Amino acid sequence: MQFMLLFSRQGKLRLQKWYVPLSDKEKKKITRELVQTVLARKPKMCSFLEWRDLKIVYKRYASLYFCCAIEDQDNELITLEIIHRYVELLDKYFGSVCELDIIFNFEKAYFILDEFLLGGEAQETSKKNVLKAIEQADLLQEVRYTPNHSHV
Amino acid sequence: MPAVSKGDGMRGLAVFISDIRNCKSKEAEIKRINKELANIRSKFKGDKALDGYSKKKYVCKLLFIFLLGHDIDFGHMEAVNLLSSNKYTEKQIGYLFISVLVNSNSELIRLINNAIKNDLSSRNPTFMCLALHCIANVGSREMAEAFASEIPRILVAGDTMDSVKQSAALCLLRLYKTSPDLVLMGEWTSRVVHLLNDQHMGVVTAAISLITCLSQKNPDEFKTCVSLAVSRLSRIVSSASTDLQDYTYYFVPAPWLSCKLLRLLQCYPPPEDGAVKGRLVECLETILNKAQEPPKSKKVQHSNAKNAILFEAISLIIHYDSEPNLLVRACNQLGQFLQHRETNLRYLALESMCTLASSEFSHEAVKTHIETVINALKTERDVSVRQRAADLLYAMCDRSNAKQIVAEMLSYLETADYSIREEMVLKVAILAEKYAVDYSWYVDTILNLIRIAGDYVSEEVWYRVIQIVINRDDVQGYAAKTVFEALQAPACHENMVKVGGYILGEFGNLIAGDPRSSPLVQFNLLHSKFHLCSVPTRALLLSAYIKFINLFPETKATIQEVLRCDSQIRNSDVELQQRAVEYLKLSSIASTDVLATVLEEMPPFPERESSILAKLKKKKGPGAVSVTELDDGKREAGELNGGGDRGPDTAAMAASNASTPSPSADLLGIRSAAPVGAAQTNAGSLLVDVFSDSGPAAPSAAVNDDGFLSSAPPSEDPAPPLSEADELLNKFVCKNNGVLFENQLLQIGIKSEYRQNLGRMYLFYGNKTSVQFASFTTTVSCPGELHKPVEPLVEGGAQIQQVLNIECITDFSDAPLLNIKFSRYGGALQNLTLKLPVTINKFFQPTEMSSSDFFQRWKQLSQPQQEAQKIFKANHSMDTEVLKAKLLGLGTALLDNIDPNPENYVCAGVIQTKSQQIGCLLRLEPNAQAQMYRLTLRCSKDTVSKRLCELLAQQF
């Protein structure tokens, strides 16, 4: 996978993960172009499209679009399920996830993604194992941290 | 899980995010952000030392601001400080900031690498994973230099935790992708391959991505992975859906791992070991069987996961292309999907069938679905699905269904989306030409194309129709008649006027007998369009008029009057004015004989690749078209050899033989020859000039042929290489495809591709005569033992395509030789030796690097023998784009903003040979005034510098 973007129906970028080196300018250009292309598509259309020399796989969950760019020989359907598994992970972690969770806890969304995908490839596909890793990290901070800061 | 309250809430951050969300306008947002930036800046600069929490909070705010799309130019140092915090969350935020906002500031990189090093050696798995994630996310060359040797150790060490192994495997993959020269598996290879056997499914899932990438580049070293992958796959496929616990996804056992295993197997040919192969075929059959079973769940996730595996299995079956039974089953399965209610499946089935269409085993099976596909083209609501349907129709087209498919594509074109019209037009034009049995059909099709989608008909298309009409006298009368009729439409496209002008100018006489299309009627018809046309078209029409004067003396007075009027002879456009003046003069002073010679009918064009195909390739990239082409070569091989007249077959072969990757190729793809006899029409060459800016006439066929016939000794020994063999070789230094050799008898086209130290070359031998070549044999030999092609599948006689697999063992200077022998019926034995265009630069791997890296390396390669330099006169155009294209064709990365002088070019690459990798740097300094170049090469091996310098000095 070359990159993953999460954006809202209004076209606001909520998460961006790049697995290939690109300049900031190029990233912004790609994002603008893809957000526009994907938002213009109608609901019943197919989830795949050709874009430059890449394949775009996207799916909408409530107000959020999840959009991945994969290479020619990569598998579209399994990428669709990568998206779904990520959504499941977010859902399980936040407890019925919504766009606001991702906005206010963006760093968590990145951490979960890093446990699941690394370098653009699936690292751990077991939901249990990914969540265990994140929970352990959360525990680490509770143990080491003095609780004098209130929580959101 | 009440996770949100579980994290360490950073209240200040939450408040800030809320504020941003409440901003009513972009301006308000920017104002709020600037306020925050000022605040953070003052905190960072303040005298009071910040505690870890505050630092983390501010760094996190900066990150948020950056992700909103604003620039951040400070805070990096504070983030780096967080890396060495022993509080996990602080470290974590520090790493996240670094991963997202990498800065090539060398001072920082050193600090970051230090922190990473500490975490990697901490033996704390959580910290180690954080560090590995950071390396994988940044993946820079500096990090590769620092850690590429350490990570393989972590990956295979017995006491490494599973989660760390997973991160290490993918981290290494990322580094390998950026800096393959720095990641050396060597002694670790076999232990990495054996990770496929790991107990932990997560470890296998991660490791296999690494193994697949490494296998693609070094298939031999990793080939033991095939049997391991097959047995792992077999265990998964035959397991019950509950066996794999959490690795089962919606009742599908380990779908991600299964797909990756099937993908890995696609890096290799079918297993040679019978038992392994049997087991694999069994797996593939099981996967196909499962597709027929009722679903275990109604959830789309279940069917997606199951079908993901199925499509990957079909890709493998297509890749092997050797099991007719499986291919046909795959095709039937896809056929079912063509009518599935899920749009996604229809899309993928159409896409996958495209590749099946090019296999000789399944081509017929694919064709049975033609009606469904045509229906999809007409009724699918999603344009991307219709596009796939059009692609598939193109791929499944052959002589038996060409008329139907072309008709459907034409009718689709009337309503097609603008975005795909141009490509559709090219495809229709190619199919019409390739499968034309009677050329009147071809002419009708192209004229229809212009009528329906004139705006999308590129120059290549209408040039091609004229070329074909000129070459085939059986269609000229029909073409003249049809184009005359088409021009009668009150509004017709300018492209139609161009074709009409050209064809009536050449062949108007063939329909002049009919009073309805008498010379004057023809002229008036053309001239009625004149004023609506652009300058180039008017120029073409003027040429048609002077041709009319020659064809029909009775029109002379009328036409002279037209030429003489002020709007022509005083036209503000120089080209038009000049034509009018010259034609007028020519028609009034030249005798009929002179006129007839100057304005003689155009001579036939030499057969060559359709430039339309080249254009489609350029549009689509190398993938889509080439597969079908190669296969066409195979399928039609029988007809091609000694197949009588120069019919559509020859045209089709010429089309599939060669390609013109060069962007400077002229309109008709003229590569080797200007139209034969262009010289005769010199004076009246105005009709030629629309076609090309005729370059220097190519190596004259006659000379070539003589040399080759006389140089052939009567013995069976291979002839010495042709005298121009080196020159032919030089043509291919910066390109991989084209015509290697051509004389009156034989044309040899080449297509080649290289990856790492491996290459594959397709040779196409075209018999240009009408008689059979007997005992056609070819032999490849290498001077010395430096360069050894493996398995040269040399076949002769009826075969026209040959595949050579090439492996570069070590660096070399002499190209392999290709000897060809054959006898013509009643003729002497032909014996010809050429140099195969395999040069050391074909094994280049481009390397991107920064300016500082480049100069550092440049300095490192400063020993006198590592450098080779040449100063030479420019032999070709010094145009920037042409130079760039050549340097890219060379295989190196062309680096921008490196050389202080923007006129200069610098390139970097690594030559991959089996025994070693050779780093090469290149600098080319053009001097446009003096028309000179200075070329400097520095390579880690002196012989390579020298050889590259020699090769390249011929190219510019």
Side-chain angles (χ1 to χ4, degrees):
Chain A
M1 186 185 300
Q2 298 220 338
F3 55 85
M4 184 192 255
L5 303 175
L6 263 67
F7 49 87
S8 69
R9 240 169 15 159
Q10 290 75 36
K12 290 241 185 217
L13 190 60
R14 296 304 181 200
L15 180 140
Q16 44 175 321
K17 189 79 188 175
W18 305 86
Y19 297 111
V20 284
L22 291 168
S23 69
D24 286 341
K25 205 175 136 199
E26 183 71 4
K27 287 178 188 172
K28 280 185 184 163
K29 189 168 163 241
I30 291 176
T31 308
R32 232 187 355 256
E33 213 178 303
L34 269 183
V35 168
Q36 216 174 32
T37 312
V38 171
L39 288 180
R41 290 176 64 86
K42 298 192 188 76
K44 282 276 170 185
M45 283 188 168
C46 108
S47 312
F48 319 124
L49 54 123
E50 282 184 334
W51 180 79
R52 300 193 186 175
D53 54 345
L54 296 173
K55 300 194 282 197
I56 302 298
V57 177
Y58 72 94
K59 187 160 177 174
R60 183 178 153 184
Y61 287 86
S63 59
L64 268 190
Y65 283 87
F66 290 69
C67 173
C68 297
I70 56 175
E71 280 149 67
D72 189 46
Q73 70 275 26
D74 291 337
N75 189 312
E76 290 96 338
L77 284 174
I78 208 73
T79 308
L80 211 47
E81 293 319 297
I82 290 250
I83 293 176
H84 187 74
R85 171 106 305 174
Y86 182 47
V87 173
E88 284 183 349
L89 287 166
L90 293 172
D91 197 59
K92 192 93 181 170
Y93 183 79
F94 288 109
S96 186
V97 69
C98 66
E99 194 182 337
L100 282 180
D101 290 320
I102 295 174
I103 295 172
F104 281 95
N105 301 283
F106 68 97
E107 78 283 11
K108 294 283 183 217
Y110 280 96
F111 296 149
I112 296 173
L113 188 58
D114 269 355
E115 291 293 336
F116 175 43
L117 295 181
L118 193 60
E121 298 282 337
Q123 173 176 222
E124 177 54 87
T125 59
S126 152
K127 194 155 60 172
K128 243 191 260 166
N129 289 354
V130 173
L131 289 170
K132 206 163 69 191
I134 297 287
E135 266 171 61
Q136 263 170 2
D138 281 344
L139 275 178
L140 266 178
Q141 74 195 21
E142 298 219 322
V143 173
R144 287 172 184 262
Y145 219 78
T146 44
N148 56 355
H149 300 287
S150 52
H151 296 156
V152 178
Chain B
M1 197 186 322
V4 180
S5 60
K6 206 169 156 192
D8 60 321
M10 285 177 274
R11 192 168 168 70
L13 175 65
V15 170
F16 174 58
I17 296 176
S18 291
D19 284 358
I20 295 288
R21 284 178 54 75
N22 290 333
C23 287
K24 295 274 184 291
S25 65
K26 196 79 198 159
E27 290 70 34
E29 182 184 307
I30 290 172
K31 212 171 141 201
R32 178 69 185 86
I33 283 171
N34 284 337
K35 187 178 148 206
E36 193 62 39
L37 286 174
N39 172 39
I40 299 173
R41 213 186 287 266
S42 75
K43 295 280 186 203
F44 283 170
K45 277 198 184 142
D47 307 330
K48 220 171 60 183
L50 286 178
D51 62 6
Y53 169 79
S54 315
K55 223 183 269 176
K56 176 183 79 170
K57 183 179 70 186
Y58 294 130
V59 166
C60 212
K61 279 185 184 174
L62 286 179
L63 187 56
F64 180 80
I65 294 171
F66 177 78
L67 289 170
L68 272 183
H70 302 269
D71 291 334
I72 294 295
D73 54 3
F74 69 103
H76 300 82
M77 201 57 199
E78 284 73 14
V80 173
N81 284 341
L82 288 177
L83 296 184
S84 37
S85 163
N86 57 2
K87 295 201 176 97
Y88 181 75
T89 45
E90 290 169 14
K91 194 186 268 297
Q92 200 183 21
I93 294 291
Y95 271 127
L96 181 59
F97 184 92
I98 300 297
S99 303
V100 175
L101 273 121
V102 249
N103 195 309
S104 56
N105 184 326
S106 58
E107 193 54 29
L108 277 179
I109 287 286
R110 207 172 46 79
L111 292 172
I112 295 168
N113 281 357
N114 256 341
I116 292 179
K117 207 164 277 168
N118 287 337
D119 281 333
L120 281 184
S121 51
S122 69
R123 309 192 69 77
N124 173 337
T126 329
F127 286 7
M128 286 173 87
C129 282
L130 271 186
L132 289 168
H133 291 176
C134 178
I135 302 174
N137 283 328
V138 177
S140 66
R141 184 133 187 117
E142 287 87 355
M143 289 204 170
E145 274 162 1
F147 303 109
S149 54
E150 173 64 14
I151 298 172
R153 226 185 300 272
I154 299 177
L155 175 59
V156 298
D159 58 348
T160 305
M161 298 271 292
D162 290 330
S163 59
V164 179
K165 274 190 194 168
Q166 287 166 275
S167 300
L170 293 176
C171 184
L172 203 54
L173 170 63
R174 176 69 197 268
L175 293 185
Y176 186 76
K177 282 184 181 163
T178 30
S179 317
D181 52 318
L182 295 176
V183 179
L184 301 169
M185 297 312 291
E187 48 181 322
W188 311 114
T189 304
S190 116
R191 292 169 76 182
V192 169
V193 172
H194 276 87
L195 289 171
L196 288 176
N197 265 340
D198 202 283
Q199 295 266 310
H200 191 283
M201 294 280 276
V203 172
V204 190
T205 307
I208 191 170
S209 297
L210 173 66
I211 295 169
T212 304
C213 182
L214 291 168
S215 296
Q216 281 167 344
K217 307 289 164 71
N218 325 284
D220 277 349
E221 286 163 52
F222 284 82
K223 63 170 176 256
T224 47
C225 71
V226 172
S227 61
L228 292 179
V230 169
S231 57
R232 190 95 211 191
L233 180 68
S234 157
R235 268 179 285 159
I236 297 173
V237 168
S238 55
S239 64
S241 57
T242 48
D243 289 355
L244 302 173
Q245 294 161 351
D246 211 35
Y247 290 93
T248 294
Y249 180 82
Y250 292 86
F251 303 102
V252 181
W256 284 281
L257 181 52
S258 304
C259 285
K260 286 188 182 191
L261 285 163
L262 288 161
R263 176 89 194 82
L264 170 61
L265 291 171
Q266 287 169 59
C267 303
Y268 289 92
E272 280 158 23
D273 181 330
V276 176
K277 182 158 185 204
R279 209 164 169 200
L280 177 57
V281 168
E282 225 169 81
C283 286
L284 295 172
E285 279 170 347
T286 312
I287 293 170
L288 285 168
N289 290 341
K290 279 189 179 172
Q292 296 298 325
E293 288 170 11
K296 294 199 174 74
S297 153
K298 284 208 170 99
K299 288 248 165 65
V300 68
Q301 283 76 26
H302 171 71
S303 73
N304 279 351
K306 194 166 126 180
N307 291 328
I309 300 173
L310 177 65
F311 275 104
E312 206 60 65
I314 292 178
S315 296
L316 181 63
I317 294 171
I318 296 171
H319 167 76
Y320 286 162
D321 197 12
S322 59
E323 300 282 334
N325 176 32
L326 289 176
L327 281 162
V328 171
R329 279 192 69 182
C331 187
N332 293 340
Q333 182 60 54
L334 294 176
Q336 287 181 22
F337 284 157
L338 285 182
Q339 318 220 28
H340 202 280
R341 62 189 163 77
E342 280 268 333
T343 314
N344 287 346
L345 281 182
R346 295 199 302 275
Y347 176 95
L348 294 175
L350 289 165
E351 188 185 43
S352 190
M353 250 193 197
C354 253
T355 35
L356 271 180
S358 58
S359 162
E360 56 180 316
F361 300 115
S362 46
H363 182 78
E364 287 305 315
V366 170
K367 274 168 62 186
T368 58
H369 298 287
I370 185 167
E371 297 302 333
T372 319
V373 181
I374 286 173
N375 197 37
L377 186 65
K378 286 178 176 160
T379 58
E380 282 289 351
R381 274 187 291 176
D382 184 346
V383 53
S384 42
V385 185
R386 289 198 297 274
Q387 170 81 65
R388 289 285 84 81
D391 287 349
L392 178 53
L393 283 179
Y394 178 75
M396 68 162 71
C397 191
D398 62 19
R399 191 146 302 154
S400 72
N401 55 20
K403 283 203 173 170
Q404 185 188 9
I405 286 178
V406 166
E408 292 295 346
M409 285 174 111
L410 269 176
S411 79
Y412 174 61
L413 203 50
E414 306 214 27
T415 54
D417 309 73
Y418 296 114
S419 56
I420 63 173
R421 281 195 183 184
E422 190 182 353
E423 196 185 312
M424 290 287 295
V425 166
L426 290 174
K427 285 183 165 164
V428 170
I430 289 168
L431 293 179
E433 177 183 339
K434 194 165 171 183
Y435 299 114
V437 179
D438 74 87
Y439 275 83
S440 51
W441 173 71
Y442 169 76
V443 169
D444 284 342
T445 304
I446 301 295
L447 293 185
N448 263 329
L449 213 49
I450 296 175
R451 200 174 45 76
I452 294 167
D455 283 344
Y456 299 88
V457 172
S458 56
E459 291 181 330
E460 285 87 346
V461 173
W462 74 261
Y463 287 158
R464 189 72 184 159
V465 68
I466 287 174
Q467 200 182 356
I468 286 179
V469 169
I470 286 182
N471 283 11
R472 303 201 55 100
D473 45 22
D474 53 340
V475 77
Q476 289 159 355
Y478 182 79
K481 179 168 163 282
T482 324
V483 84
F484 176 80
E485 279 160 12
L487 282 173
Q488 309 221 306
C492 65
H493 197 274
E494 189 165 333
N495 280 335
M496 190 70 88
V497 179
K498 290 178 185 163
V499 175
Y502 202 110
I503 289 185
L504 293 180
E506 293 293 328
F507 309 115
N509 55 329
L510 299 176
I511 55 168
D514 187 327
R516 283 165 299 178
S517 52
S518 70
L520 262 178
V521 175
Q522 287 185 39
F523 172 74
N524 286 333
L525 181 60
L526 279 180
H527 199 54
S528 69
K529 315 283 180 192
F530 189 91
H531 304 280
L532 300 167
C533 291
S534 64
V535 169
T537 309
R538 289 191 200 186
L540 186 150
L541 285 178
L542 289 178
S543 298
Y545 297 170
I546 186 75
K547 288 243 164 184
F548 266 51
I549 293 184
N550 175 45
L551 286 181
F552 317 114
E554 67 266 39
T555 59
K556 185 169 169 179
T558 319
I559 290 175
Q560 280 183 332
E561 202 167 311
V562 168
L563 293 174
R564 204 177 290 126
C565 78
D566 279 356
S567 63
Q568 307 297 354
I569 212 161
R570 301 230 164 106
N571 196 295
S572 59
D573 185 272
V574 176
E575 178 68 34
L576 292 181
Q577 191 187 91
Q578 187 176 353
R579 286 194 190 208
V581 171
E582 286 179 4
Y583 291 161
L584 186 60
K585 205 73 188 159
L586 180 69
S587 65
S588 40
I589 58 173
S591 70
T592 334
D593 281 354
V594 171
L595 214 53
T597 315
V598 170
L599 300 170
E600 199 181 14
E601 190 179 300
M602 285 294 286
F605 290 86
E607 290 291 345
R608 64 188 139 221
E609 174 187 22
S610 156
S611 48
I612 309 176
L613 200 58
K615 166 127 182 175
L616 182 66
K617 268 184 245 170
K618 228 163 43 193
K619 260 184 96 66
K620 288 289 275 185
V625 209
S626 59
V627 184
T628 5
E629 268 171 70
L630 279 182
D631 198 65
D632 279 341
K634 241 189 282 172
R635 259 205 317 273
E636 293 176 10
E639 303 162 45
L640 283 171
N641 253 280
D645 66 341
R646 294 198 313 172
D649 278 337
T650 333
M653 198 201 86
S656 58
N657 266 357
S659 72
T660 359
S662 155
S664 60
D666 62 75
L667 309 168
L668 281 167
I670 289 179
R671 187 173 35 249
S672 54
V676 178
Q680 303 165 9
T681 45
N682 243 348
S685 72
L686 290 154
L687 278 177
V688 185
D689 64 10
V690 237
F691 281 98
S692 73
D693 36 9
S694 325
S700 134
V703 175
N704 255 353
D705 192 36
D706 271 349
F708 136 47
L709 286 173
S710 56
S711 72
S715 77
E716 295 269 299
D717 290 334
L722 286 181
S723 51
E724 64 271 32
D726 275 316
E727 206 176 299
L728 297 173
L729 183 77
N730 277 328
K731 274 187 6 193
F732 285 84
V733 170
C734 294
K735 63 177 190 174
N736 287 334
N737 306 323
V739 174
L740 175 65
F741 173 82
E742 185 160 19
N743 66 14
Q744 289 173 346
L745 309 175
L746 179 72
Q747 184 196 48
I748 306 176
I750 280 198
K751 270 177 91 100
S752 50
E753 46 193 0
Y754 293 88
R755 211 171 52 200
Q756 298 276 327
N757 67 326
L758 300 177
R760 180 167 295 169
M761 180 176 284
Y762 298 88
L763 292 165
F764 301 88
Y765 302 99
N767 180 347
K768 289 175 68 178
T769 69
S770 57
V771 291
Q772 216 165 25
F773 288 164
S775 44
F776 190 93
T777 56
T778 67
T779 336
V780 176
S781 59
C782 316
E785 301 200 332
L786 294 175
H787 190 93
K788 178 171 159 289
V790 289
E791 333 159 28
L793 304 171
V794 184
E795 294 175 40
Q799 183 60 276
I800 60 138
Q801 183 189 336
Q802 180 184 21
V803 186
L804 298 176
N805 286 324
I806 301 160
E807 182 176 16
C808 180
I809 309 284
T810 178
D811 70 297
F812 62 95
S813 309
D814 291 330
L817 298 178
L818 171 69
N819 174 256
I820 301 150
K821 291 202 191 94
F822 60 95
S823 54
R824 248 180 342 150
Y825 175 68
L829 176 78
Q830 308 288 324
N831 185 346
L832 161 74
T833 302
L834 294 166
K835 289 191 173 177
L836 278 180
V838 181
T839 44
I840 184 73
N841 65 293
K842 300 294 180 194
F843 304 95
F844 256 131
Q845 191 76 7
T847 318
E848 296 289 344
M849 57 176 79
S850 67
S851 174
S852 59
D853 277 341
F854 182 88
F855 284 109
Q856 193 191 344
R857 263 155 239 275
W858 184 262
K859 273 183 220 132
Q860 281 165 0
L861 297 170
S862 59
Q863 291 169 34
Q865 67 271 28
Q866 286 176 326
E867 187 184 278
Q869 194 173 72
K870 238 189 186 128
I871 297 174
F872 54 93
K873 202 142 188 83
N875 288 318
H876 303 280
S877 155
M878 292 186 85
D879 174 61
T880 323
E881 291 309 311
V882 176
L883 284 179
K884 279 187 177 168
K886 283 185 182 168
L887 287 167
L888 286 174
L890 182 66
T892 50
L894 183 58
L895 305 172
D896 284 324
N897 307 322
I898 301 262
D899 201 297
N901 179 352
E903 304 295 328
N904 295 345
Y905 300 89
V906 294
C907 300
V910 176
I911 290 181
Q912 309 273 345
T913 75
K914 195 181 179 199
S915 55
Q916 66 179 141
Q917 301 187 321
I918 303 156
C920 304
L921 303 176
L922 176 157
R923 188 180 199 194
L924 181 69
E925 299 158 86
N927 180 340
Q929 253 179 348
Q931 290 283 305
M932 298 283 282
Y933 289 102
R934 180 162 70 191
L935 171 70
T936 316
L937 274 137
R938 288 191 176 182
C939 306
S940 54
K941 199 158 177 194
D942 48 357
T943 47
V944 174
S945 304
K946 266 216 323 264
R947 178 62 183 151
L948 282 175
C949 198
E950 281 165 19
L951 279 174
L952 286 176
Q954 311 292 327
Q955 300 300 319
F956 299 103

